[in-house]
Amino acid sequence: MFSELLHTKERQNETYKQLHVVLGQSCSCELQLAGPQYDNLQCISSLYPSVSEELFRCELSDNVFRTQALSPDMTQLKKASVTIDNSLSPGHTLVQICCVDHKGFLYDIMRTLKDCNIQIAYGRFSSVNKGLRELDLFIRQKDGKKIVDPDKRDALCSRLKVEMLHPLRVIITNRGTDTELLVANPVELDGKGRPRVFYDVTLALKTLGICIFSAEIGRHCTSDREWEFYRFLLDEDCRFDMSSMVGRNQIVDKVRRTLMGW
């Protein structure tokens, strides 16, 4: 909502004040509307194919050596369950979801169902119990019918599990001799990106004492969806050894936890 008001003088002045508070009176900045040349930005041309494949793949491997592998204390995430039942309602399919609670839990599920052209008639979710969240949804297809095709049911369950396990992708790679943090998340069909990603990533890096040399935001299209893509060039003058896998995993883990609210 606030980004839509940046063209107003009042909102621009408020933004200037916030920047001066953080950066000091020496800060000099200017706000202007982005032109059409910035539509559908593609900022991934320099990514290695292997990095691009890992960042934007639909399904993620459980291989512990992958840079997006979960830390040991989060293995309970893999216990997420999605079940579908057509016997309880004559006109709707019941989807029951149980998984570890995270920031944007409902957003990720609603976005996924919208992308799959699924309509929601009724929903009920529980309060958090031992870190777990349960959700019941009565749904139907766009044509108003239940989901009876086994392949469609399996595809929907698989898609929901992936979105609950990895709604955001976070990896660290090299850009030449420098270290780069990459974050990606699916874009909604109407073109809207996930809220607060840039804020949460910069907050996590600030908490770790890591300075950002440069930051870029763009869009990338794969065969089945569009992604919002963030790349941060990190200042290596910090307490983490970015040449070691241990140091890099600590950074990735902190950023992911901040994004997910853990």
Side-chain angles (χ1 to χ4, degrees), residues 228-245:
E228 195 163 56
F229 172 72
Y230 301 78
R231 60 192 310 174
F232 300 87
L233 196 62
L234 304 181
D235 187 343
E236 299 193 24
D237 185 17
C238 63
R239 62 184 178 88
F240 293 92
D241 180 7
M242 296 189 188
S243 63
S244 72
M245 186 61 69

Side-chain angles (χ1 to χ4, degrees), residues 36-51:
Q37 68 271 27
Y38 295 104
D39 292 343
N40 299 318
L41 290 178
Q42 301 289 332
C43 299
I44 63 157
S45 57
S46 62
L47 284 182
Y48 292 113
S50 59
V51 175

Side-chain angles (χ1 to χ4, degrees), residues 40-109:
N40 299 318
L41 290 178
Q42 301 289 332
C43 299
I44 63 157
S45 57
S46 62
L47 284 182
Y48 292 113
S50 59
V51 175
S52 180
E53 179 186 0
E54 179 173 355
L55 198 61
F56 302 118
R57 65 167 51 201
C58 294
E59 297 182 2
L60 296 178
S61 168
D62 289 334
N63 188 339
V64 296
F65 295 105
R66 297 188 64 83
T67 56
Q68 298 189 66
L70 296 169
S71 54
D73 64 320
M74 295 310 298
T75 53
Q76 61 176 324
L77 275 174
K78 297 182 181 180
K79 299 179 182 178
S81 66
V82 180
T83 58
I84 288 182
D85 191 340
N86 280 315
S87 65
L88 296 179
S89 171
H92 297 87
T93 295
L94 172 63
V95 176
Q96 295 180 301
I97 299 171
C98 179
C99 69
V100 173
D101 189 42
H102 66 264
K103 185 191 301 183
F105 168 78
L106 284 177
Y107 170 84
D108 289 320
I109 293 174

